[in-house]
Amino acid sequence: MDLTQIMHTEYGKSVGECTKDELYRALVKYTCTLAEEKRKPYCGKKKLYYLSAEFLIGKLLSCNLINLGIYDSVKAELASHGRDLTELEEYENEPSLGNGGLGRLAACFLDSIASLGLPGDGIGLNYHFGLFRQVFRENEQTAEPDRWLTDTGWLRKTDTVYPIRLRNGTVQARMYDLAVIGYENCVNTLHLFDLEGVDEDIVGEGISFDKTDIAHNLTLFLYPDDSDENGRILRICQQYFMVSAAAQLILAEAEARGCRLYDLPDYAVIQINDTHPAMVIPELIRLLTERGLDTDDAIAAACGACAYTNHTILAEALEKWPIRYLKKAVPHLVPVMEILDDKVRRKYGGEETAIIDREDVVHMAHMAVHCSVSTNGVASLHTEILKKEALAPLYRLCPEKFNNKTNGITFRRWLLHCNPALTDFLTGHIGDGFRTDGEELRKLMAYRDDTTTLDGLMRIKSDSKKALADWLYRKQGVKCDPDSVFDIQIKRLHEYKRQQMNALYVIHKYLEIREGRLPERPVTVIFGAKAAPAYVIAQDIIHLILCLQTLTGDPAVRPYLQTVMVENYNVSAAEKLIPACDISEQISLASKEASGTGNMKFMLNGAVTLGTEDGANVEIHRLVGDENIYIFGDTSTVVTARYKAGSYSAKAYYEEVPMIRRAVDFIIGPELAKIGNPVRLRRLYDELTGKDWFMTFPDFADYVKTREKAYRDYGIRPEWAKKGLVNIAMSGYFSSDRTILEYNRDIWHLDRSPEQIHSK
Ligand code: 26Q
């Protein structure tokens, strides 16, 4: 790169004279130009389309430079002009196109697909204000529009515009493209559709806007509040807008590659990321019949091209749409769904596997299973639960469709980019093969008893903790002790993930400290989580955590126990938090967390998991062995039986276990009353004592005991460092490259041209 030349051409200035904004924009433009030069037109037959409501891609500049292989040279050239790449990295806005694991998984998958040289594009929506920006005020979460999109530079406006038919008229979807640059490999595309004429000015106070103004609001926010009828209809319209545009693009591209429409499965495979894009199935059928196929051929072509990934067994997250709503949003899709239901009923009979139930409600997951070639879960336990419980009746009808694809993460972002010191250290020990073949990390096992290696790892961890402490201070004015244990829980706020149980532990510890029972070692408990604005109890839990942050800030307590809640937790925050973590909290109620992927990121960065036997924790446990993980709590078998028996009584635990009662009573006690919102705290107390649906009380004693054991072991060095080393060494399985190769082997069957295969 000749920076002097570029800046001269762009701005007529020297590198030294350019503003940060000018430098940043020039670099983005340069990166995009390189990407376009690398892009090869796809002349093969079959192509993958990954459809997702979320793509939580994170900032792009550094990872793109890494994947292009020019990160170090760009950094050096900037430095030679007295400019700092870090400054530009911080200046970049993070795209707010996702919420949590499902969206981040989609982003990791795009990286791996391109890095493996597979032909596959993402398709989603271009939300102007994203999920929302989280701001803490008076110990509560408030939501504001996330204005990430302002002139980002990465998105290219295309000339492709598709009409989208809605009940109250037709709107237009314009395609914007973003380059997905593989690691030392090919370039694919993320297509983001946007509503022509979307109007940012209709947003009023906070994130409120007129939900009925579909012609102006469709792509303003991800997951707009759907707690009322208008919200639900908007949600259906938004989903339909995405899949109708996707279906039109897919058919156009397939035809351009020579597809006759009944051959669609030979030209396109469409991976449906949870049920949010499942309406692509009836939409494809509708479009294919419109183009002349008869109904049966259209159904065969559409269903033969689709595959479905399930990410949840939570009943409330399994989408069900009343026909009444569908008729108000997309009436032309209803007859197609009725035909599909009719076919399924004729073939199999039975109410429990029907697409449309007796109450005239469409079960999107049922439609996705029936009308696709594959249904997969995202971790081995999760897939077993799908087969035996959540989707058991469907599994019995078509067992051959069900398969497991344990999630993975891209090592390029979650190691090379976020932890360069560890990356260099590993390269020094085992070479750089792990960048494209995760299993190479196992070579590190040879160093498990090498004290120099263990010292090196401890130093890297300690430096990352200092860097996190600096960042927290700059960002939030919070000071924390880098010599304390960093115990971190960062994920969407949900009761099943049990942030409330972690908070109860903090209360328990706080009370001990107040009584003079001082812990052996200081601990910093760090949370990061956004709560859906309409999810009241989740807001209450955030409130409790923020109050605890205040309480543990007391100079008498802080030297032993500190609570930090990171504001507006996102990918960029995760990149700072994960390398600095000692203990990774993965404490969901067993059976409820489909997989988790944060758990894998922590493991890769040398943290030790404190967790239940849930999701991919089970696989982490199997890989590292009992010595290198802290497992507690009831198993999914016990939990499932307890739900079935309906035998759980929170009240009984509350009354019989003093440790629980004390911690829970504290929520409505005088200390919190002084700083908290009594309505929120009382509601949370009532929820826990009256219901505790995600069973924190039965696991609490074991949680406390196991957590204390982990803190004790932390002090035994270098034994602790060895646990970190084993976690790193065994994390290769969780490379999303492995996951994607499995998707391709079992579901997609895409060709990898020989020159695109560089590692496997
Ligand atoms: C559903 C209905 C109505 C409104 C919203 C939703 C909704 C929105 C988002 C339901 C689910 C989501 C997101 C789910 C998600 O992020 N799931 C996570 O997916 C990860 C990748 O597979 C897993 O690792 C996590 O275990 C799972 O929680």
Side-chain angles (χ1 to χ4, degrees), residues 313-354:
I313 60 152
L314 289 186
E316 66 269 29
L318 285 172
E319 291 188 300
K320 292 177 198 145
W321 294 121
I323 291 276
R324 194 166 65 83
Y325 289 169
L326 289 166
K327 283 188 174 157
K328 287 191 183 180
V330 285
H332 47 292
L333 230 47
V334 173
V336 184
M337 293 182 180
E338 285 169 347
I339 292 171
L340 294 174
D341 178 59
D342 190 58
K343 270 185 158 302
V344 166
R345 283 175 178 277
R346 274 171 204 273
K347 187 164 173 196
Y348 301 112
E351 206 44 46
E352 53 183 357
T353 56

Side-chain angles (χ1 to χ4, degrees), residues 433-487:
F434 65 86
R435 293 158 193 242
T436 49
D437 178 4
E439 291 298 335
E440 291 263 315
L441 286 174
R442 282 194 192 234
K443 291 182 178 166
L444 196 63
M445 286 301 259
Y447 296 89
R448 64 189 300 184
D449 294 311
D450 182 70
T451 45
T452 321
T453 303
L454 297 175
D455 281 347
L457 283 175
M458 284 192 281
R459 203 179 49 250
I460 289 166
K461 183 62 78 182
S462 158
D463 289 347
S464 298
K465 288 167 75 174
K466 286 193 194 108
L468 177 63
D470 286 348
W471 180 78
L472 284 170
Y473 184 64
R474 272 186 284 134
K475 186 172 175 281
Q476 286 180 216
V478 176
K479 278 193 178 152
C480 53
D481 172 11
D483 291 328
S484 62
V485 180
F486 279 13
D487 182 311

Side-chain angles (χ1 to χ4, degrees), residues 50 53-54 99-106 109 222-224 226 232 235 239 273-276 309-312 314 316-321 377-379 382 405 407-408 491-492 496-497 532 588 592-600 614-616 743:
Y50 198 86
E54 300 184 30
N99 176 25
L102 166 149
R104 186 52 237 175
L105 185 76
F109 280 7
L222 167 65
Y223 304 138
D226 65 352
R232 287 197 196 116
R235 194 173 155 79
Q239 289 186 352
N273 201 22
D274 216 296
T275 53
H276 319 151
T309 304
N310 175 288
H311 298 263
T312 187
L314 289 186
E316 66 269 29
L318 285 172
E319 291 188 300
K320 292 177 198 145
W321 294 121
V378 290
H382 170 60
K405 295 287 166 281
N407 282 166
K491 46 185 79 255
R492 289 182 294 133
Y496 85 78
K497 295 177 184 280
S588 54
K592 298 296 180 188
E593 189 68 272
S595 160
T597 45
N599 47 2
M600 303 168 185
D614 200 15
Y743 272 92

